[in-house]
Amino acid sequence: MAVREIIRMGHPTLRQVAAPYAEEQIGSDTFLELVEDMRETLHASGGIGLAAPQVNVPLQIAVIEITDPITRYGEIQTLPFEVYINPTITIENAATAGYWEGCLSLPGMMGFVERPQHIRVDYLNGSAEKKSIQLQGFLATVFQHEFDHLMGKLYVDRITDMTLFSFDSEYQRYHLNNSLNSPASES
Ligand code: ZN
């Protein structure tokens, strides 16, 4: 088990559509090692989500875990560690809202992105069970950011106002306290 290197924007793997994961491989030694490495890498990075392509594995697997809602994410609820395999997103309501997003593959940068805020996610978990969850608000943004990685997309592709793309220290200085929605994610 190991912390893996997180690849950064410019690496071609981040721009490739990841392959669906073979259901019969869920639970295999290779699968368990990848998930454990992704968990360790997520913890070592301080992020809340990590997609397999970010560790240069172009497969449709992502992990999300929110343990520390108060100090970093305002009123956002916690979310226990979960593995999301071959997830699909259904937009339940097209109304959008924006949040500042960061990404472990674009260290030191932040951008304001508007996304639908009411979605359903269908996926297989780490035990190959079919699951479906509804997400709203900031959590809906977190999941869309993460699953974009499985489709070769980065949050920068979705910034509509490039004046709201910023280095982190300038975000803290100039944008943090005047943004409409202040929670920021890094995944
Ligand atoms: Zn990301």
Side-chain angles (χ1 to χ4, degrees):
M1 304 302 162
V3 172
R4 299 198 188 186
E5 180 190 358
I6 296 175
I7 60 174
R8 306 200 302 177
M9 183 172 66
H11 192 300
T13 298
L14 290 173
R15 290 315 202 163
Q16 151 182 4
V17 176
Y21 194 68
E23 191 173 341
E24 61 272 18
Q25 291 297 313
I26 298 173
S28 68
D29 288 348
T30 310
F31 172 83
L32 295 174
E33 184 179 355
L34 173 63
V35 168
E36 189 52 36
D37 285 358
M38 287 175 69
R39 183 206 301 263
E40 289 182 22
T41 305
L42 181 65
H43 290 170
S45 68
I48 59 179
L50 184 70
Q54 292 181 279
V55 292
N56 201 16
V57 176
L59 297 171
Q60 290 185 23
I61 300 173
V63 298
I64 296 173
E65 180 183 45
I66 302 178
T67 56
D68 189 13
I70 295 164
T71 56
R72 291 187 59 193
Y73 303 111
E75 295 170 7
I76 305 310
Q77 66 191 81
T78 58
L79 206 63
F81 182 88
E82 176 74 305
V83 185
Y84 301 88
I85 302 161
N86 303 339
T88 61
I89 290 176
T90 304
I91 295 167
E92 304 274 24
N93 180 332
T96 62
Y99 291 97
W100 284 87
E101 300 184 21
C103 182
L104 298 171
S105 295
L106 286 84
M109 303 297 296
M110 300 288 292
F112 189 79
V113 181
E114 294 187 49
R115 300 181 188 266
Q117 295 294 294
H118 188 175
I119 63 170
R120 189 184 80 235
V121 171
D122 295 287
Y123 66 101
L124 295 172
N125 70 9
S127 305
E129 297 165 324
K130 279 194 165 66
K131 297 279 186 179
S132 184
I133 51 170
Q134 304 264 348
L135 298 153
Q136 295 186 39
F138 178 70
L139 283 181
T141 279
V142 169
F143 277 69
Q144 287 170 88
H145 173 118
E146 214 51 58
F147 299 162
D148 266 357
H149 281 298
L150 306 179
M151 295 297 134
K153 289 204 169 299
L154 298 172
Y155 78 82
V156 289
D157 307 342
R158 302 197 184 277
I159 298 173
T160 53
D161 178 353
M162 288 304 283
T163 69
L164 300 179
F165 182 42
S166 173
F167 286 100
D168 186 53
S169 52
E170 281 72 11
Y171 159 74
Q172 304 278 347
R173 181 169 179 186
Y174 298 111
H175 300 286
L176 179 58
N177 295 318
N178 20 352
S179 86
L180 297 173
N181 294 291
S182 57
S185 69
E186 184 160 54
S187 47

